[in-house]
Structures are given as structure tokens and as C-alpha cells.
Amino acid sequence: MSLLICAATGPELGGLLPGFAPPSASGGHGGAHGAERYTADATAWPEMRLWPVQLKKSAALCCLTGIGPVNAALAMGHALSRAEAEGSPISAVLNVGLAGAFDLASHPLLSHCLVQEEIWPEYGLHDGQTVIAGAFGFPQWQPPQGEAVRDRLPLCGVEALSPFGGRCDDGTLAPCRSLTVAGVSASFARAADLRSRYQADLENMEGFAVAYACARQGIACVEVRSVSNKVGPRAREEKDFPGALRALAQVLPALNLI
């Protein structure tokens, strides 16, 4: 059984694994410091590829999902089925990337967050002002056991990574709740509405899709985010995307994986 490490874009994967450089679509290779050299356009990479990486106590696979929930869902379906077909079925997924925080006082720039629940606020019945998942007659999925999945999914803790040597004993990962959007919040009203309705800490673009693909296959999903910006309109001092990419290099050591 294998661990799959995924990120949405080349810069995020390069920040997470600074010494890792998968081949580009043109056949060349990235440099040793991937966060500086990777293109931000995930479509420039070979599509739906799996790359092996060596961790401290085991080998793992990694992949790019692309940006947004649709790309992430497609990529995860392909990656999970391909890994199984090649004799390395996935038993756990570690999804890592950047995210915006609704409150930088609670989750400062460059801090790391362990997502305990993913929310998709765009599924359900739209009454003209908001989307209500419970008012819609059709869940996304009814597991053989347990509650139907509508707009929320619980995620696993770091203990799901223990078969690969993973642990986190120093409290560097702040627990949080995150929501996944296809359209990044760019207004104060939108950000305030999402935060008040869902009590969310973070906003990202792939987390729910990755977690949902894992849930459908009975695979443990762990998600860690590096805070890159304030959700909604932000001042210059309320964002640091290059710093958040560099901060991703701290994630795998914090999890005792490298």
C-alpha cells in the first residue's frame, strides 16, 4: 500500500519537495529549487502523471491535481486507479497546498493548518441568496454505512500517516475547517458570508474534491495548508504567496516524513 502526495500546481509541489523536479512537458527538467522554477500553469506539466519520491521510512507517489475542484476530481480518479493498476494501490493521500485565511490573527500568514473538515458551499438548493445543502433532495453520495454526503466531509488526522512514519508531536499544525470554492472570494461581502455561514477558517480550491475522491474509495485523506493570503480583498501586507510556497518545505519534516 502506498502514500500519494498531491498538490494543485507545480510551484506548490516544488515548495513541498524543493529537491524534486519531475520532467516537464517539453522533456526538460526543472532545477533543484522547484518553487522558483516551476511554471504556475499546471497544464504545462505532463497530464495525469505519478512520480515516485523517497521519504524517510518509505517510498511514496506524488501528482499534480491542477487548479479547481473539477481538475482535482479528475486527477484524483486517474491517479488512484492508475496506482492500483500498476501494483501500488493507495491507502492514504496527503493533500498539501496554499490557502487563504478568513482571519489572519487566528491563522497568520505562512502558518500551517491541519484541515479537519472540508466544505463545499456550492452544492444544494440556491434560494436566491445562499445555497442550502440540506434543502436539496439529492445527496452527492450515500455510503453503505453512515450519513449521506452533501456539502461536508471529515478528514483524517496525522495518525493516518503513521504506516509511513508520519507523526506530529510539536503542535505546529493548527487544526482548522476549510471550504472549497471554484471562484475565489474577491469581495468583503462574499468572504463575510462564507465565514459566518460555515464557520470556516480557510478557503481553497481543491480540498473537497480530493477528500471526496478518497472517501468514495475508502482511502484516508490528510490535508495541510500553508496560509498565503487573507480571504477577500487584501492589502499588500495581508498576502505573501512566495513566502507561503517556501513555507511548504516545512510540512514534510513537521510530519516526520522526511
Side-chain angles (χ1 to χ4, degrees):
M1 305 297 280
S2 300
L3 172 66
L4 176 67
I5 301 171
C6 64
T9 67
E12 287 165 299
L13 189 59
L16 182 67
L17 295 161
F20 178 67
S24 69
S26 62
H29 292 263
H33 301 287
E36 287 77 17
R37 294 178 180 267
Y38 286 179
T39 171
D41 180 7
T43 62
W45 296 92
E47 293 187 3
M48 306 299 185
R49 291 283 304 277
L50 294 175
W51 294 283
V53 292
Q54 185 62 46
L55 305 179
K56 182 189 294 187
K57 294 188 177 181
S58 67
L61 298 171
C62 64
C63 73
L64 294 172
T65 67
I67 298 171
V70 174
N71 276 330
L74 288 169
M76 287 302 298
H78 178 88
L80 296 178
S81 53
R82 178 168 182 174
E84 183 165 0
E86 294 180 353
S88 300
I90 303 301
S91 58
V93 169
L94 174 60
N95 181 22
V96 182
L98 305 189
F102 287 94
D103 180 6
L104 292 179
S106 299
H107 300 283
L109 290 177
L110 315 189
S111 64
H112 297 121
C113 301
L114 177 67
V115 179
Q116 297 180 319
E117 182 182 44
E118 269 292 352
I119 303 163
W120 191 18
E122 296 160 354
Y123 184 85
L125 185 67
H126 203 302
D127 63 6
Q129 294 183 322
T130 187
V131 178
I132 306 171
F136 192 51
F138 303 95
Q140 295 196 69
W141 175 49
Q142 176 59 65
Q145 296 180 338
E147 296 183 3
V149 175
R150 294 182 181 271
D151 62 343
R152 294 176 182 265
L153 275 172
L155 274 74
C156 297
V158 176
E159 64 277 2
L161 303 177
S162 60
F164 311 99
R167 69 174 193 272
C168 186
D169 304 323
D170 58 5
T172 56
L173 302 178
C176 74
R177 176 183 291 117
S178 187
L179 53 80
T180 299
V181 296
V184 174
S185 297
S187 74
F188 291 115
R190 165 77 169 168
D193 178 59
L194 287 175
R195 186 183 182 196
S196 64
R197 281 195 289 124
Y198 296 101
Q199 291 76 55
D201 302 300
L202 305 181
E203 178 184 85
N204 75 88
M205 297 185 72
E206 300 82 25
F208 187 94
V210 173
Y212 184 58
C214 292
R216 292 296 299 257
Q217 296 296 317
I219 295 170
C221 182
V222 180
E223 182 178 358
V224 177
R225 294 283 172 175
S226 175
V227 176
S228 56
N229 59 279
K230 180 182 178 181
V231 177
R234 58 254 183 180
R236 180 177 299 177
E237 66 273 13
E238 294 175 322
K239 60 183 178 180
D240 187 355
F241 291 96
L245 286 172
R246 291 192 295 270
L248 287 175
Q250 303 166 16
V251 172
L252 296 183
L255 293 171
N256 195 48
L257 292 175
I258 61 173

